[in-house]
């Protein structure tokens, strides 16, 4: 079968009018940055061996180093290209303007440079998540307020997962497409066309240690899954929790499932654990484009009106019929 590279795929998407030349450039640049991050992530252990003695320094240093390395790679890769008006990173409190010496473009790029990085020192998959918005018309120097757009305004979203293989998943709204890094060639090969999430599933992902803090609708939903065939659902379920959102979402995109980081009483004042702009919105765009659903439990994630760059939301996403059930339990409560 002819191997289609990411570049060929993006050029064909542009020819179909599904993306502008600048958006194509943005995707190519992010993909190149992902390759550089993948090289650094895989060195993590080696750096640990070659780096400072003492587990806490190395682990803390290595984790922090890799978070910062990934963040710097994404910023340096994107700031000169002329396709962005500004950037924002989960790692950095303020938005990142484009330096004066570079031209500016029409897009705003937001990213979580290394999601799940606490898993690196135990060699579990981590990833990079990104979201693309349009810079508001006529705005030459964007401020944080210009980033406060709902998820429905995203023009593209994607993530990479640094696992047994490095994969890049992206959508520009119509369909979800997966690429696998051919390390020998250094190119992403189109391996997963039109990924879709089955409407039903028997797998759920949630950190069960928080059960006593969940709201009643979530406690009801999870207890029904745990009751299995003898319970109201009449069938058995299985659980998976990687504690890397990218890895859990990628499994769901590949074979179905429901992922939940619901509101709990421990973090009610923060609004949830996961961040709206860097985690929930891009993943919600991808999940919906793959036929799934993504809700806070009370509203569609993509409809949430952002008020702060680093705001958090509850996240319930994946197989549509299961997400809709959880939402119905919230409505009944
Ligand atoms: P917990 C990683 O830190 C993260 O932001 C997500 O990637 C992941 O789903 C979640 O937090 C894990 O949270 O509370 O289980 O450690």
């Amino acid at each position: 079968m002819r191997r289609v590279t990411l570049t060929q795929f993006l050029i064909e998407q542009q020819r179909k009018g599904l993306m502008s030349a600048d958006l194509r450039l943005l995707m190519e640049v992010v993909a190149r940055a992902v390759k550089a991050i993948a090289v650094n992530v895989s060195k993590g252990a080696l750096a640990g061996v070659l780096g400072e003695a003492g587990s806490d320094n190395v682990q803390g240093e290595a984790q922090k180093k890799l978070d910062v390395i990934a963040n710097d790679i994404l910023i340096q890769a994107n700031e000169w290209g002329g396709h962005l008006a500004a950037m924002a990173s989960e790692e950095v409190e303020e938005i990142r303007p484009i330096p004066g010496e570079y031209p500016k473009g029409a897009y705003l790029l937001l990213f979580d440079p290394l999601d799940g990085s606490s898993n690196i020192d135990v060699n579990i998959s981590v990833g990079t998540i990104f979201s693309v918005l349009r810079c508001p018309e006529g705005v030459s120097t964007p401020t944080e307020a210009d980033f406060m757009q709902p998820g429905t305004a995203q023009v593209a979203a994607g993530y990479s997962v640094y696992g047994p293989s490095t994969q890049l998943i992206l959508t520009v709204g119509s369909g979800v497409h997966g690429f696998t890094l051919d390390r020998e060639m250094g190119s992403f090969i189109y391996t997963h066309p039109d990924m879709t999430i089955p409407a039903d599933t028997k797998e759920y992902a949630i950190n069960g240690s928080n059960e006593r803090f969940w709201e009643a609708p979530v406690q009801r939903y999870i207890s029904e899954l745990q009751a299995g065939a003898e319970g109201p659902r009449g069938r058995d379920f299985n659980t998976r929790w990687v504690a890397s959102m990218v890895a859990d979402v990628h499994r769901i995109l590949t074979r179905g499932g429901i992922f939940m980081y619901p509101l709990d009483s421990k973090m009610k004042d923060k609004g949830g654990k996961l961040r709206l702009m860097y985690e929930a919105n891009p993943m919600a765009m991808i999940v919906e484009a793959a036929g799934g659903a993504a809700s806070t439990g009370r509203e569609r994630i993509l409809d949430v009106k952002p008020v702060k760059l680093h705001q958090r939301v509850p996240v319930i996403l994946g197989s549509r019929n299961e997400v809709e059930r959880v939402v119905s339990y919230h409505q009944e409560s």
Side-chain angles (χ1 to χ4, degrees), residues 88-90 95 108-112 129-133 143-154 156-158 273-285 301-302 304-313 315:
S89 165
E90 187 189 29
I95 67 166
L108 302 175
L109 176 66
L110 302 96
F111 48 81
D112 178 356
I129 310 173
F130 67 91
S131 167
V132 183
L133 295 168
T143 63
E144 179 170 325
D146 296 307
F147 282 78
M148 297 297 98
Q149 303 177 38
T152 47
Q154 293 175 106
K273 160 131 190 185
L274 301 179
R275 285 176 171 81
L276 173 64
M277 303 304 286
Y278 312 101
E279 292 168 319
N281 268 344
M283 291 309 201
M285 179 178 186
I301 285 178
L302 293 181
V304 174
K305 299 277 179 288
V307 291
K308 282 189 305 177
L309 194 57
H310 297 281
Q311 83 183 61
R312 299 162 189 258
V313 288
V315 175

Side-chain angles (χ1 to χ4, degrees), residues 170-329:
L170 52 89
T171 183
V172 290
S174 62
V176 177
H177 307 283
F179 302 81
T180 302
L181 180 61
D182 174 339
R183 289 180 185 278
E184 288 164 343
M185 295 285 291
S187 47
F188 278 106
I189 305 301
Y190 189 26
T191 49
H192 294 72
D194 285 323
M195 299 179 85
T196 55
I197 300 175
D200 293 302
T201 182
K202 67 175 178 58
E203 252 180 1
Y204 66 100
I206 192 166
N207 182 338
S209 68
N210 296 320
E211 181 159 8
R212 64 192 182 284
F213 303 119
W214 297 334
E215 296 179 303
V218 173
Q219 287 178 332
R220 172 186 170 193
Y221 175 72
I222 296 296
S223 65
E224 289 180 355
L225 302 186
Q226 289 166 337
E230 298 73 40
R233 299 298 305 272
R235 59 193 175 97
D236 290 341
F237 288 80
N238 197 10
T239 184
R240 288 280 181 279
W241 186 250
V242 182
S244 262
M245 184 186 196
V246 170
D248 280 315
V249 171
H250 188 68
R251 185 190 56 253
I252 288 166
L253 199 60
T254 307
R255 67 184 190 210
I258 181 169
F259 171 93
M260 301 172 76
Y261 214 109
L263 197 59
D264 73 41
S265 52
K266 279 200 323 295
M267 57 181 75
K268 218 172 178 72
D269 57 324
K270 286 191 190 146
K273 160 131 190 185
L274 301 179
R275 285 176 171 81
L276 173 64
M277 303 304 286
Y278 312 101
E279 292 168 319
N281 268 344
M283 291 309 201
M285 179 178 186
I286 291 164
V287 164
E288 288 199 5
S295 171
T296 64
R298 293 178 169 80
E299 67 179 304
R300 185 183 174 217
I301 285 178
L302 293 181
D303 290 336
V304 174
K305 299 277 179 288
V307 291
K308 282 189 305 177
L309 194 57
H310 297 281
Q311 83 183 61
R312 299 162 189 258
V313 288
V315 175
I316 298 158
L317 59 76
S319 292
R320 177 168 291 281
N321 291 344
E322 291 302 318
V323 174
E324 288 175 355
R325 177 185 287 265
V326 177
V327 170
S328 69
Y329 289 4

Side-chain angles (χ1 to χ4, degrees), residues 40-51:
N40 283 275
V41 164
S42 60
K43 279 181 188 163
L46 291 177
V49 166
L50 301 175

Side-chain angles (χ1 to χ4, degrees), residues 16 37 136 279 284:
K16 290 175 191 165
I37 295 171
E279 292 168 319

Side-chain angles (χ1 to χ4, degrees), residues 131-167:
S131 167
V132 183
L133 295 168
R134 276 192 188 77
C135 183
E137 279 296 312
V139 173
S140 56
T141 308
T143 63
E144 179 170 325
D146 296 307
F147 282 78
M148 297 297 98
Q149 303 177 38
T152 47
Q154 293 175 106
V155 292
Y159 65 82
S160 58
V161 49
Y162 310 111
S165 67
T166 290
Q167 289 188 272

